[in-house]
Amino acid sequence: MDSSGSSARKQRKTVKRPPSEDASAAEQRLKQKKHAALCATLGGEDASVRLLEQLVFGAEEQLSERLEQIPQDSRVFLEDEDGSEDSGSEGPARPIIRSAVWEDEDDQLEEEVDMTHRFRRDFKKSEAESKMSKQRLQQRLKEQFQKAMGGTPSWAEETTDRPRRDAEDEDEDEELLRRTGDFISSSHSLPKGVIKIKKCLNANSECPGADQLSSVQFHPSAQILMTAGLDHSISLFQVDGKNNPKIQTIHLENYPVNKASFSADGEHIVATGLRNKLFYIYDMMEGKVIPVSSVRGLNEQRVSDFQVSPDGKYLLLSGSSGYLHLMTTKTREVVRSMKMNGSVCAAAFTPDSSKIFANSQEGEVFIWDVQSSKCLKKFADDGCVRGTSLALSRDGLYLACGSQSGVVNIYSQKDCLHTLEPRPLKAVMNLVTPATSLSFNSSSEILAIASRADDEANRLVHLPSFTVFSNFPRFQKKTIFRAHCLDFSPQSGFYTVANNKGSALLFRLLHYTDF
């Protein structure tokens, strides 16, 4: 036993490890030491390094724990968009409210804006508002925009409310267009700056003129509009703002119409031509066209322009060489004639039919008494070299005179009658071509001015501020073209323009509730 054990120990001592194994073990120990040193260095870095490691290389266990801690109400935003889990849930999900990353302390300070600046005066509601915060001014601008647009634009409305509001608007329009006759408007005074206006289907869309229109007029009591032009026709349309169906067309053979107008009672239409003194009277009740070839006491070769007195008793015929002839509608004979210096360019009756205002091409305004045919007053239109048009307001407040230069002077009728040299209340200079058409609305809050010498030369003047509405005309392309005649409906609910294209454009004035 002793000999065998000793021999075994001798054999183990004699056996030696290969040198390669010792070297590899030493190399591994060296790598382990370096790795431990590196881990110690990384462990001593800032906490941001460890956070970056988690974000880059992931921390799945911690992410799972955070997902489990999310409230049940917020988990709906983590579901797949295919709606496989909550496809039957009712009601919209509430958005996650996130806090601001950074806040500026200056945002909390309310900066005051000077409202006396000329660009901001129109936004003041009283003189006390000399200063206003930015938030309040922003709200005021928003209200002004919505007011100009006639309410909140359709594209800004919620889809659930839009059909209901559209139906309400249609009901209101239908209710308005059902009522005809003499109306009593409940509108407040018209604000200046921006007018609420809507473009409608052309009044004569069913039968546009083949040539330029020379006249357009609303019926004094019915919901009817008349057009006349150089295509030898007079047409009547029912105005509803949507379809505007044609009622009737009267053709006058070889007779281009220079002017057509309803009688004061609305039962007749008077039309004059360009070539001679022949004129026509159309009886709307009987449907008869009555030609009037001669008028007793009228010594004129041609009669092209005329005016109907508000009381329906007279027609004022404009002759040559400055003559004005007063013809009775009952007997159709001239009872009085008046002579003015120069040529007549325009004339109009006062609302009570007692006086006549006439404008000469030489820039002088004459006032005549209807009963005595005497000239009560004569004065020069301020700054006018050549007169082109004239209009009187229906309430007897204003007189408007147009000139070749495009300037429209607005006077007080009272000053014209009682002042030796009346001065204009305002000279409107928004036209650069001759002001050929003027028209006041029924409430004397709007004066429409236009020139047939240029496209889109049509403006609406607010009274009594004497400022032009900034949003008319404002279209993406030419719409009005050359305006030849203007008119307002009896209660100013509609405004129409007859142009050189044979169209009678129709606009809805949203401020007025009646036709």
Side-chain angles (χ1 to χ4, degrees), residues 464-484:
S465 68
F466 306 108
T467 57
V468 175
F469 290 106
S470 60
N471 62 325
F472 184 86
R474 185 179 291 178
F475 305 104
Q476 294 181 354
K477 60 181 181 179
K478 288 185 179 180
T479 303
I480 297 177
F481 293 96
R482 302 200 174 189
H484 281 253

Side-chain angles (χ1 to χ4, degrees), residues 112-130:
E112 297 289 333
V113 180
D114 183 14
M115 298 302 296
T116 59
H117 193 276
R118 62 191 181 95
F119 291 155
R120 306 187 191 99
R121 290 174 187 166
D122 293 338
F123 300 115
K124 294 197 304 180
K125 293 185 177 180
S126 64
E127 295 298 330
E129 292 181 332
S130 59

Side-chain angles (χ1 to χ4, degrees), residues 197-464:
I197 193 167
K198 173 185 176 184
K199 175 72 171 66
C200 301
L201 182 70
N202 288 351
N204 65 339
S205 60
E206 283 197 2
C207 184
D211 204 335
Q212 73 179 28
L213 295 182
S214 57
S215 297
V216 64
Q217 187 183 13
F218 286 97
H219 193 275
S221 58
Q223 201 168 313
I224 296 173
L225 180 134
M226 175 202 63
T227 62
L230 302 183
D231 59 352
H232 310 172
S233 66
I234 300 173
S235 299
L236 299 174
F237 301 89
Q238 181 181 354
V239 179
D240 60 9
K242 297 180 181 179
N243 300 318
N244 304 323
K246 186 183 77 170
I247 300 174
Q248 188 180 12
T249 296
I250 304 102
H251 292 279
L252 304 175
E253 185 177 356
N254 197 25
Y255 192 82
V257 180
N258 180 68
K259 182 173 181 178
S261 178
F262 286 108
S263 60
D265 56 8
E267 295 182 0
H268 299 84
I269 297 176
V270 181
T272 57
L274 293 169
R275 302 169 183 172
N276 48 42
K277 61 182 179 180
L278 169 69
F279 64 92
Y280 287 93
I281 296 177
Y282 175 65
D283 191 331
M284 297 178 63
M285 305 302 293
E286 298 184 4
K288 288 183 179 181
V289 178
I290 306 171
V292 181
S293 57
S294 62
V295 176
R296 185 186 302 174
L298 180 63
N299 297 319
E300 295 286 350
Q301 296 296 322
R302 183 171 65 94
V303 175
S304 59
D305 195 14
F306 67 95
Q307 301 294 327
V308 180
S309 64
D311 60 7
K313 294 181 180 180
Y314 301 103
L315 285 183
L316 183 66
L317 307 177
S318 298
S320 59
S321 303
Y323 275 99
L324 291 169
H325 306 283
L326 204 61
M327 184 192 84
T328 61
T329 56
K330 187 175 182 180
T331 61
R332 296 173 190 166
E333 62 178 348
V334 173
V335 292
R336 299 178 189 88
S337 294
M338 295 155 281
K339 175 73 169 65
M340 60 189 295
N341 299 332
S343 300
V344 181
C345 68
F349 284 93
T350 56
D352 59 0
S353 302
S354 63
K355 300 177 183 63
I356 296 171
F357 282 71
N359 194 5
S360 70
Q361 292 184 358
E362 284 67 25
E364 290 183 317
V365 179
F366 293 79
I367 305 176
W368 306 88
D369 181 71
V370 172
Q371 296 299 325
S372 62
S373 301
K374 292 182 178 180
C375 181
L376 302 177
K377 184 77 177 294
K378 181 183 77 170
F379 64 92
D381 185 15
D382 187 67
C384 177
V385 177
R386 184 179 179 86
T388 55
S389 54
L390 180 143
L392 293 174
S393 63
R394 302 183 191 180
D395 59 0
L397 288 179
Y398 302 110
L399 162 70
C401 297
S403 63
Q404 184 75 15
S405 63
V407 178
V408 178
N409 287 329
I410 304 176
Y411 296 89
S412 166
Q413 287 190 32
K414 184 177 179 180
D415 291 346
C416 294
L417 290 170
H418 301 98
T419 306
L420 183 61
E421 295 182 357
R423 303 290 296 176
L425 301 173
K426 178 69 176 181
V428 182
M429 302 183 182
N430 292 82
L431 298 179
V432 296
T433 50
T436 53
S437 299
L438 305 174
S439 180
F440 287 93
N441 76 323
S442 59
S443 61
S444 300
E445 294 177 310
I446 304 174
L447 169 63
I449 62 177
S451 173
R452 68 183 63 175
D454 196 9
D455 291 336
E456 308 299 302
N458 182 204
R459 301 291 184 270
L460 298 179
V461 183
H462 174 266
L463 303 173

